[in-house]
Structure formats: C-alpha cells, structure tokens
Amino acid sequence: MEESIISSPTPKPKVLEDVTELMQNIQSRLPVKAAAKTSVLSKSWLHAWSTIPTLIFHVPIGNIPIERFDLKKQQRKQLKLVYIDNTLIRYLRDNIPIERFDLKLPVENREHSSLAQKWIRSLATKTCLKELSLNFVVYGGLMKLPDEILCGENLTSIRVSGSRWLRTSDCPPIINCVSLRELYFSGVRISQQILDHILTSCRLLAKIELRNCSSLDLKTIKVKSLPCLNELKITEEGRVRRVEINNVPNLSFFSCNLLDQRTHHVPFNPHSISLGSSVTELSLGGHGLVTDDASLDMIKSGLPFLESLTLNMTFWTLESFHFTCASIRRFSLLDCKNRLIDIQVHALKLLSFHLSGYTMPSLSFPISTTLEEITFLLYPETRFGASFFLKMREALELSLSSKYYVHIKFHRRQFPLEKDLLDDLKTRLQFPPATNVETLSFATSPDDCLGEENSSVFDALFEICHPELVNVKLMLREFLEKKMTRTMANWHRYLHNFQVRKKVQKKRETLLNPRFLDWSGSYAEFKLEWS
C-alpha cells in the first residue's frame, strides 16, 4: 500500500503542465495571503496552489520570554508547526517537486529543533531543490544544522541565518552541492575545517557572505581559486585574524569588516589579499585593516577600475588622510575620530562623498571636481566652537553645484559648546551663508527641548548656510518663538516664510506666525524660503 502511494503519478499532458506552471508563476509573484485566495477561483487554481514548488513558512518570532506565558499565541504557533509538517508530508508522499524552501522559525525547545532538523533532512537531498533559505532564532541552547544541508546536487543558493546558537557539525560533511552559486551564513558557528571544505568544493560560487560565523577554531577565512566569484562580504566580530584571497579574477564587489572587540589588531598583510583588477566596489574596516597610508597601497595601485570605496576610519592612526584615485566615483569615510583633522581627496571623477564621525575635519578636493552630492553625518562629543562651523562652511564651498546633506546628532542633554560661540563665528566668518544645502537634519538623544543654553547651535548653523529643508526633533513652538525674536543672530532677517509638516503628513502648512505651531515634541520637516 505504501509503495503505491509514493509511486510516480501518471504523466500529465504537456498543455496542462504549462497552464499549471503559468498559474504558479503568477501565484509566486503575489503576497502569500493573496496567492492563497486564488485557490477559490477554480479547481485548476486550487491544484496549482496545492502543488506550488515554492514553499515559504514564516513562524512569528515575537517576544519569546513573554509569549511563553501566552497560551493563545503558543497554540497558534503549534498549529503553524503542525501545518508545516503536514504540508511537507503531503509533498514528499505525492512526489511534488519543491524548488525553493524558505523557513523562518523560533527554536524554543528540543521539539522545535528536532522538527526543523527533520524537515531539512527530508528536503535537502532532493534533486529538485534549488534554493534553501533558513532563518532560526535559537533560545535555550545550541542547535546543530544537519549534515544533509550541503547534499543537494542542484542547489544553487543556500542562505542560513542564526543567532550565534546555530552551529554546523564538527566533522566534515559530504558536500554534493557542486552547482552552488550563492552562500550566505549569518550567526552560524562554523569550524575552520568545514568552511575550508565548502569553499574548496563549490567552485561555481558567485556570491559569498559570511557574517559573525567564527567558532573557537576559525582563525582564517580562505577564498581561493573561485573563477566565478563576483561578490564577497565578510563581517566578523569573533576570532578571525586573517583573510586570504587569491585567484578570484571576476570579483567586482569586496567588503571586509573585522570587528574583534578583544585585544590586538588584525595584522594587515596586503600580500594575503589579491583581489584582481576587476573590483569596482570596495569596503574595508575593523582592526588593522585601515590604519595608515601603507594599508591603502593595495587600493591605490592594484584596483584600476574602482568606482565605489567605503573606509571605516575607527582605527586610523594619523592626523591626515590623503587619497588619490583616478577612477573613483563614490567615496565614504565612516566613523572618523577627533584625531583626524585633515582630509585631501584627489579624484576627478568623484560624484558623491559621504563623511561621518565625531568631528569636522578640513576638507580639500580638486577644483575641477564633478561632485554632485556631499553628505555629512556628525555626532560631536568633545567641546567644540566656531572652528567646527568654519570648517563646515569651507566644505560647503567645495562644489557650488553639489547638493549637500548635513545631519548632526548630540547624545547629551547639554551640548559641548564653547562660550561666545556666535560672536567668535561672526568675527571669523569670511563667506556669506551657503545656499546649496538641500537638507539639514538635527536630533538630540534624549529628545529634549532645545533650551536657551543650547540654542546657539542653530544660530551658528543658519549663519553658515540657508538650507532648503530642515528636519528637527525638538520642542518646536518654544524654540521658534524665541529664535524669531532674537536680535543677536542674523539668519532670521533673511527668512521670508516657511512651510511645515509632521513627518507622517503629506501636506505642508504655511505659517507666517510661529505662535500657530503647537506640536510639542514632534518630528517636523520645515521648507524654508530665504531671500
């Protein structure tokens, strides 16, 4: 009886298969609930839905410690697990092909872990399976991934996300997924031996992303002899000390961020990383990777087609940063510390520049620059005065045709401002207010009223620029009433009118008198009209 049940079904006419495939193609492009509703249209639609080769099961994660005591939510979750189990039993019993399996599951106990392992074992070896996506949030212990996860002969994509409590086997598994094109591991504890085995067996890999996958013995990530590799991302906060890359001639995107929070820096050895000449996008950061001019030699000399560069400057040791690149178009410097006071960039094709950090350094670009967009994201912590705003005003002069976006955030109730800031700024300021700032965003944490003792920040900002849009998260009515009546600052003399809206609203309201503004504590967007 069992043999007759699992035997191959009678072949269907080609026309019916094509119609069913078309219906399933339509269903796969719809949201799950909308796709399920198509099953009531006709028996053909019902059959298409009940045999669709794409299975997506997302069990709500929620707040596990609280929901453990919510019987209704636990019952709904249990019913969902039973539904998944019954669906897979039916598919396997009737030999219904599964080309894509996507599972998101909170693993709260051994029962959940056993169920997930059973489902993976039953599916991963199927020759019809092409895409496997697993997302587990593990509570109360480690969960081991079955060895069969790497056995699918026709698998082209494996994506596994965990929460640091997900691990692979200790012994090297049998790897049959020689057709694999995409590998994504996040929060999966993987040993050195198994990672090496995967990366040497799957020669057709085109995309690799490893995020926080280090185990006790994973010290080196070796990516070698992968001729099809196009994209490689490595983000590690664990024990990884070294990255070795070689013979990847078609690599175009490389991102490496090693964030070991413990003791020593990762020794940067440019000879261990050979990216080839095809890289167009590069992102580097973490201990030892971006520290001084020597760490930039690989970028300057070996990447002739580089168009996008992102550098995390957390561990930069010098006061100056000088960079030249003939091909670069997009450039970002992140997390610049107070020690960095001088930045010079020579890139004649540069279109956009992004700077984030704790200070406003002196900036220098070539006069013939083609800059279209410049963004400053600043969060000062140490005491600063007029020099901060003067450097910003000089930076706004780098390209008069560029759109500037300035965001400033303070993490204190009282801003670290020097005394007589506004007087000093007005005395030393040599430029009129810049008019090329499209958006100025200003935030405080916690979100407090901008009191009189801190209000000179806005006075200084509006002295150096007249932005088109201002996003402010403050007690707006009180602030504007005080600002419009002050005589010490000059900016309010040039402000003709403004329109304002809450961020959740679509329309702006024109307000000639700030007394009509009564949105205490709201996040508002102002459109300013300057003379």
Side-chain angles (χ1 to χ4, degrees):
M1 182 68 180
E2 183 66 24
E3 292 180 359
S4 63
I5 292 178
I6 63 174
S7 61
S8 299
T10 303
K12 296 180 180 179
K14 179 65 175 169
V15 174
L16 292 179
E17 289 184 356
D18 291 343
V19 172
T20 301
E21 193 173 317
L22 176 60
M23 291 178 175
Q24 290 173 342
N25 190 8
I26 295 173
Q27 291 169 335
S28 66
R29 298 172 185 272
L30 297 173
V32 176
K33 290 185 178 180
K37 291 179 181 179
T38 63
S39 61
V40 303
L41 298 176
S42 67
K43 290 184 178 180
S44 298
W45 281 100
L46 174 60
H47 172 72
W49 177 246
S50 62
T51 59
I52 190 168
T54 298
L55 295 182
I56 302 175
F57 300 115
H58 288 181
V59 181
I61 295 176
N63 192 324
I64 300 300
I66 295 178
E67 290 184 0
R68 283 178 177 172
F69 303 99
D70 191 325
L71 294 180
K72 289 185 178 180
K73 289 186 177 181
Q74 287 296 320
Q75 289 174 354
R76 287 197 296 268
K77 190 174 294 184
Q78 191 63 32
L79 289 174
K80 182 74 172 180
L81 296 178
V82 172
Y83 169 72
I84 297 173
D85 197 44
N86 290 338
T87 300
L88 291 178
I89 290 174
R90 178 173 63 83
Y91 266 72
L92 296 173
R93 180 195 64 204
D94 297 340
N95 284 335
I96 302 173
I98 302 174
E99 297 180 359
R100 177 189 171 197
F101 183 69
D102 187 336
L103 175 65
K104 184 176 181 180
L105 177 69
V107 180
E108 304 174 36
N109 48 50
R110 291 185 178 179
E111 178 187 357
H112 295 169
S113 178
S114 298
L115 269 176
Q117 291 170 342
K118 182 186 77 170
W119 296 338
I120 296 171
R121 289 192 182 99
S122 63
L123 292 175
T125 56
K126 296 297 180 182
T127 57
C128 57
L129 188 64
K130 297 179 180 179
E131 298 181 32
L132 179 62
S133 179
L134 306 171
N135 188 343
F136 299 119
V137 178
V138 185
Y139 296 87
L142 284 171
M143 175 184 168
K144 179 183 174 183
L145 286 172
D147 293 342
E148 290 82 355
I149 193 174
L150 299 169
C151 289
E153 295 180 4
N154 295 316
L155 265 176
T156 59
S157 175
I158 295 178
R159 298 180 61 86
V160 183
S161 300
S163 53
R164 285 288 193 175
W165 299 107
L166 192 64
R167 68 180 181 91
T168 59
S169 173
D170 296 327
C171 301
I174 297 175
I175 298 179
N176 294 327
C177 52
V178 292
S179 300
L180 197 64
R181 301 292 196 278
E182 179 185 12
L183 176 67
Y184 175 89
F185 278 166
S186 176
V188 181
R189 297 186 181 184
I190 186 169
S191 69
Q192 182 78 61
Q193 188 178 15
I194 293 179
L195 181 60
D196 292 345
H197 191 26
I198 294 173
L199 296 181
T200 54
S201 301
C202 304
R203 293 295 184 183
L204 298 180
L205 279 168
K207 182 178 180 179
I208 300 173
E209 184 166 359
L210 304 174
R211 299 177 60 88
N212 304 326
C213 294
S214 60
S215 58
L216 292 176
D217 71 331
L218 182 58
K219 300 294 192 300
T220 304
I221 295 178
K222 304 174 185 178
V223 180
K224 299 181 179 181
S225 301
L226 294 177
C228 300
L229 188 62
N230 179 261
E231 184 174 326
L232 175 60
K233 296 181 182 179
I234 300 172
T235 304
E236 286 295 336
E237 296 181 359
R239 303 171 181 271
V240 174
R241 296 285 183 268
R242 184 179 175 87
V243 175
E244 297 181 7
I245 303 173
N246 206 323
N247 195 13
V248 285
N250 291 306
L251 186 67
S252 64
F253 180 93
F254 177 57
S255 174
C256 185
N257 208 350
L258 304 181
L259 306 173
D260 189 355
Q261 300 297 328
R262 284 181 284 273
T263 53
H264 56 278
H265 290 181
V266 178
F268 183 84
N269 182 3
H271 299 292
S272 69
I273 298 181
S274 178
L275 301 179
S277 60
S278 300
V279 174
T280 58
E281 297 184 56
L282 179 64
S283 177
L284 294 176
H287 283 288
L289 289 177
V290 183
T291 56
D292 52 29
D293 292 334
S295 60
L296 302 179
D297 289 342
M298 176 187 65
I299 304 172
K300 295 178 179 178
S301 60
L303 304 176
F305 303 110
L306 186 65
E307 295 184 356
S308 176
L309 176 62
T310 300
L311 298 178
N312 188 305
M313 305 294 287
T314 302
F315 301 101
W316 186 258
T317 58
L318 307 178
E319 293 184 350
S320 62
F321 175 86
H322 297 174
F323 184 77
T324 301
C325 183
S327 60
I328 194 168
R329 295 176 179 271
R330 297 175 299 277
F331 191 23
S332 297
L333 296 177
L334 309 181
D335 205 27
C336 297
K337 302 301 183 182
N338 290 322
R339 72 175 72 91
L340 181 58
I341 59 176
D342 175 48
I343 295 176
Q344 296 183 27
V345 177
H346 298 275
L348 297 180
K349 295 182 179 180
L350 192 63
L351 297 177
S352 67
F353 176 74
H354 175 86
L355 173 72
S356 71
Y358 297 89
T359 186
M360 185 68 216
S362 297
L363 295 177
S364 175
F365 293 87
I367 299 176
S368 59
T369 182
T370 56
L371 272 171
E372 296 178 356
E373 179 179 303
I374 300 178
T375 303
F376 300 136
L377 174 58
L378 305 171
Y379 26 93
E381 291 185 344
T382 58
R383 183 170 294 277
F384 66 97
S387 296
F388 178 90
F389 298 97
L390 290 171
K391 289 179 181 179
M392 184 179 294
R393 179 62 189 92
E394 292 174 0
L396 297 179
E397 203 70 17
L398 291 174
S399 177
L400 299 179
S401 60
S402 299
K403 295 180 180 179
Y404 284 81
Y405 302 87
V406 180
H407 180 87
I408 300 179
K409 183 170 184 177
F410 292 96
H411 297 277
R412 301 182 181 184
R413 290 180 179 272
Q414 187 166 352
F415 308 153
L417 304 174
E418 294 180 357
K419 294 182 178 180
D420 301 324
L421 166 64
L422 193 58
D423 289 336
D424 189 16
L425 177 63
K426 292 168 66 176
T427 302
R428 300 166 57 186
L429 188 62
Q430 298 180 358
F431 298 100
T435 59
N436 54 352
V437 177
E438 184 161 306
T439 303
L440 170 65
S441 299
F442 191 88
T444 59
S445 179
D447 299 324
D448 291 319
C449 171
L450 185 61
E452 187 67 25
E453 69 278 7
N454 296 322
S455 61
S456 55
V457 170
F458 251 109
D459 286 333
L461 286 171
F462 285 163
E463 286 295 317
I464 65 171
C465 68
H466 289 166
E468 180 180 346
L469 295 176
V470 179
N471 297 323
V472 194
K473 201 170 185 180
L474 300 165
M475 303 286 282
L476 302 176
R477 175 178 177 176
E478 291 84 348
F479 168 72
L480 285 180
E481 285 181 345
K482 292 176 181 178
K483 292 286 92 183
M484 296 293 281
T485 57
R486 286 180 58 123
T487 56
M488 187 175 180
N490 296 324
W491 60 264
H492 66 274
R493 301 175 186 173
Y494 304 96
L495 184 61
H496 273 292
N497 194 9
F498 61 85
Q499 294 177 316
V500 63
R501 69 176 179 181
K502 289 186 180 180
K503 293 295 287 184
V504 296
Q505 292 178 332
K506 294 183 178 180
K507 294 183 178 180
R508 293 186 179 90
E509 181 182 359
T510 301
L511 297 176
L512 300 176
N513 190 333
R515 297 180 185 276
F516 291 107
L517 187 61
D518 193 13
W519 296 342
S520 296
S522 298
Y523 204 137
E525 179 184 84
F526 289 77
K527 185 175 182 180
L528 308 182
E529 297 179 11
W530 303 90
S531 59

